[in-house]
């Protein structure tokens, strides 16, 4: 995907996932695929979230908030916001998941 295509895609999506959330999930589960399996997601979903192609919504967003204890305002950031300046997550995934 070119930079122009990527920028166009982000403009279509109002939100993107905060990269720190993907990092926390991957750290907790070891790999993105393990995390996807634990959350019942299709393979590649977290990669799409990380790159801003899609963003968690509905039940997936609710599952992320429950699993991590991180509020929506930190999980999802405006698509136009530079991820380097995104709010930092206050905690890691809940124990036992």
């Amino acid at each position: 995907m070119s930079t122009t295509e990527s920028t166009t895609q982000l403009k279509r999506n109002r939100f993107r996932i905060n990269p720190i959330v993907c990092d926390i999930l991957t750290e907790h589960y070891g790999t993105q695929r393990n995390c996807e399996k634990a959350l019942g997601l299709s393979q590649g979903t977290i990669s799409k979230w990380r790159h801003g192609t899609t963003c968690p919504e509905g039940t997936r967003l609710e599952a992320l908030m429950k699993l991590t204890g991180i509020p929506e305002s930190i999980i999802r950031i405006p698509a136009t916001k530079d991820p380097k300046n995104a709010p930092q997550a206050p905690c890691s995934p809940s124990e036992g998941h």
Side-chain angles (χ1 to χ4, degrees), residues 16-20 50 77 79-88:
R16 67 180 300 148
I17 194 166
N18 188 333
I20 194 73
R50 185 180 295 274
I77 59 173
T80 56
K81 188 176 188 88
D82 181 351
K84 294 176 189 168
N85 297 324
Q88 297 300 302

Side-chain angles (χ1 to χ4, degrees), residues 14-64:
R14 290 184 37 201
F15 295 96
R16 67 180 300 148
I17 194 166
N18 188 333
I20 194 73
V21 175
C22 292
D23 293 343
I24 288 170
L25 291 172
T26 301
E27 182 178 316
H28 183 72
Y29 288 101
T31 67
Q32 284 184 188
R33 186 62 195 130
N34 287 344
C35 180
E36 289 164 340
K37 286 179 181 178
L39 293 172
L41 304 172
S42 300
Q43 186 170 357
T45 299
I46 292 178
S47 180
K48 289 178 183 177
W49 290 351
R50 185 180 295 274
H51 292 99
T53 306
T54 62
C55 189
E57 296 180 350
T59 56
R60 290 178 175 176
L61 178 59
E62 290 173 16
L64 276 176

